[in-house]
Amino acid sequence: MHLAKWEWKKMLRDWKTRILLMGFFLFFGSFSLLYQQQNLSFPEEEMNEQYQTIHNIFNSIPKSVFEGPDGQEVYDTLAELQSLYGMQLYILSKRDGNTITGFENVFDSYLENGAKIAENNAALLTLTDFEHYDFLISYLPDAKAIHQDVAFFDYMEKHGLDIEWNAFSASNIFLKEVNMMVGIVLFLFVALLGCDRFTRDQTKNWSITHGLPIPWRKQWHIRSAQLWLVMWMVSLGGLLMSYVISLLLESPGSLWYPVIIYANNGYLPIAIWQYALLAISIAMLLSYFLLLVAVGLSWVFRTIYLTLIVTLSTYFIPVFWQVVKPFSSWQPSLYFHIESVLMGEMAQTTGLQGVYFWKGLVLMAVIFALVEILFAGFFDRIQTQTLGLRRRVNI
């Protein structure tokens, strides 16, 4: 307890640490204000692009082709799609839920139209005898995207949710900030916070650290845990502050809005708050592992910059597996990009269908054990001074 208290005081009195924590808190807390400065496409604009795409397909395919095999069915399906997209565009333009008040008997709801769109797109994929089939499917979503659309609309219908028309809603900004926090920013925060913890002791507190009869391994654990705690206090505090600001400035949206994640049984819709809880939990485990490595390496290398580079470069390891095919879905480095794993992008880019987030959790436990064994070997070879203090000789 005395050692932990001393470590807390030493860390909180360090002006570099205070500035770093304050800087990240302000960045996370003001994220909603920064995000609103972007030029984003609203769902209404995206729906208009899809409507124009169907219109362009009609203009690009000669009318005589529609008289061939499957031609009439393609024509009728495209005509229905154009009508459905037009209704969706009109509903979004009103920005008032899934239906138009007073026109419920004229327009189907947004969710019903969305399900019909997915059904028609799936039907077009089966019309392989159509003369311009390759041209047609180049503008259509593939079977995987159609499956996700069906899951999305089923979830929305089940939970009674309205379609989100505002790209700057509080719930959408919250989701974007969570994905930002568990990405490169996570590695940067860890690298800056933990890269010089032991190195600084060697230069600033040399006589004390060499006189304490405390194992290096114990100091390593205490410092890593303390840094992990303040890191997530700052991160979660900033996330909450940003969410409150966006609630005051924009439409609230809904934290029950679906996010499609990649799981064993395909693509699964879960609520934004569930996705945030899952992503942050994985990020917490990953950050603790990274802090153990960063703090440990700061003693091994005795230089801030090399430790910083090594820690930060681990984020870019998965990029290598996008060029060279990985051997197995059980390779730990595949799971450093949390968002890509949860969204199924890592499985798609690597060609490995088994890149599931739960495997990353299993591998994390194995990595913890390996790191403990590795650094225990390093620290056991350091003899802590117990025979009095030694004066450091200035050269």
Side-chain angles (χ1 to χ4, degrees):
M1 292 298 296
H2 291 292
L3 177 63
K5 184 178 180 180
W6 180 63
E7 292 288 354
W8 275 119
K9 289 182 178 180
K10 188 172 58 174
M11 179 177 64
L12 295 178
R13 288 174 180 175
D14 177 27
W15 65 271
K16 292 182 180 178
T17 301
R18 292 200 300 267
I19 290 177
L20 182 63
L21 295 177
M22 182 59 68
F24 273 94
F25 178 78
L26 292 176
F27 172 68
F28 291 140
S30 62
F31 178 83
S32 59
L33 300 176
L34 298 173
Y35 189 78
Q36 291 172 23
Q37 306 306 314
Q38 298 186 88
N39 293 322
L40 299 180
S41 296
F42 275 47
E44 182 182 347
E45 298 170 337
E46 296 173 357
M47 187 60 64
N48 183 56
E49 292 179 2
Q50 294 173 329
Y51 177 83
Q52 294 299 329
T53 296
I54 300 299
H55 181 74
N56 293 335
I57 291 176
F58 268 123
N59 292 335
S60 301
I61 299 177
K63 293 183 179 180
S64 58
V65 175
F66 291 114
E67 299 175 359
D70 291 335
Q72 187 61 47
E73 188 172 356
V74 169
Y75 183 89
D76 293 340
T77 304
L78 288 175
E80 184 176 0
L81 276 175
Q82 190 170 33
S83 175
L84 290 170
Y85 279 129
M87 286 189 286
Q88 299 292 73
L89 182 59
Y90 185 68
I91 293 173
L92 284 175
S93 66
K94 295 302 179 180
R95 301 182 175 182
D96 188 27
N98 296 326
T99 57
I100 306 288
T101 304
F103 291 86
E104 292 84 357
N105 296 328
V106 179
F107 293 98
D108 289 331
S109 74
Y110 190 95
L111 303 183
E112 292 174 330
N113 290 336
K116 291 179 182 177
I117 289 174
E119 181 182 344
N120 285 330
N121 284 328
L124 288 174
L125 295 180
T126 65
L127 303 178
T128 57
D129 292 334
F130 184 62
E131 184 176 345
H132 283 56
Y133 176 77
D134 291 338
F135 171 79
L136 178 65
I137 64 173
S138 66
Y139 287 93
L140 298 177
D142 56 19
K144 184 187 301 181
I146 293 173
H147 175 72
Q148 294 182 45
D149 288 341
V150 172
F152 174 85
F153 289 116
D154 287 346
Y155 178 96
M156 295 282 288
E157 185 72 34
K158 178 180 178 181
H159 291 82
L161 298 174
D162 288 332
I163 193 68
E164 181 56 67
W165 59 268
N166 185 8
F168 294 116
S169 67
S171 58
N172 188 59
I173 294 178
F174 178 80
L175 175 62
K176 299 299 182 183
E177 183 165 7
V178 169
N179 285 332
M180 178 271 298
M181 287 175 58
V182 303
I184 182 64
V185 175
L186 175 74
F187 288 74
L188 180 61
F189 201 172
V190 168
L192 292 174
L193 197 58
C195 66
D196 67 338
R197 195 50 51 181
F198 273 180
T199 306
R200 191 178 306 163
D201 267 0
Q202 298 298 308
T203 58
K204 300 295 185 182
N205 303 294
W206 187 89
S207 60
I208 297 178
T209 56
H210 280 249
L212 281 175
I214 303 297
W216 281 92
R217 187 179 180 184
K218 185 174 183 179
Q219 296 182 53
W220 173 53
H221 281 145
I222 290 176
R223 297 175 192 209
S224 299
Q226 289 175 338
L227 290 172
W228 180 86
L229 182 60
V230 296
M231 171 185 173
W232 283 105
M233 288 176 61
V234 166
S235 299
L236 296 179
L239 177 64
L240 178 61
M241 178 179 174
S242 175
Y243 181 63
V244 172
I245 291 175
S246 58
L247 283 175
L248 297 175
L249 299 179
E250 292 288 347
S251 59
S254 174
L255 293 179
W256 281 96
Y257 208 73
V259 179
I260 309 297
I261 67 169
Y262 182 64
N264 295 45
N265 54 349
Y267 288 91
L268 176 70
I270 62 174
I272 288 178
W273 70 267
Q274 293 173 321
Y275 172 86
L277 185 62
L278 177 61
I280 291 176
S281 298
I282 297 174
M284 283 182 168
L285 292 175
L286 178 59
S287 64
Y288 187 65
F289 156 71
L290 292 172
L291 275 170
L292 286 174
V293 173
V295 174
L297 289 180
S298 70
W299 175 84
V300 175
F301 294 143
R302 306 290 179 92
T303 172
I304 295 175
Y305 302 107
L306 185 55
T307 305
L308 181 65
I309 293 173
V310 171
T311 305
L312 193 56
S313 63
T314 55
Y315 175 80
F316 300 98
I317 296 177
V319 178
F320 176 77
W321 301 121
Q322 297 178 13
V323 179
V324 179
K325 185 176 178 60
F327 305 104
S328 168
S329 61
W330 288 98
Q331 293 176 225
S333 59
L334 292 174
Y335 299 90
F336 288 166
H337 292 181
I338 298 174
E339 180 186 359
S340 296
V341 173
L342 289 175
M343 294 298 184
E345 296 173 1
M346 186 62 67
Q348 183 177 359
T349 55
T350 60
L352 297 174
Q353 298 303 312
V355 185
Y356 305 125
F357 69 88
W358 63 265
K359 289 185 179 181
L361 299 177
V362 174
L363 289 168
M364 196 69 63
V366 176
I367 291 175
F368 274 130
L370 293 177
V371 169
E372 285 287 339
I373 295 172
L374 178 63
F375 281 99
F378 287 140
F379 294 139
D380 286 344
R381 286 166 173 77
I382 306 174
Q383 294 183 357
T384 304
Q385 298 293 331
T386 59
L387 299 178
L389 302 180
R390 296 170 52 195
R391 183 179 301 276
R392 182 176 57 180
V393 178
N394 294 324
I395 298 177

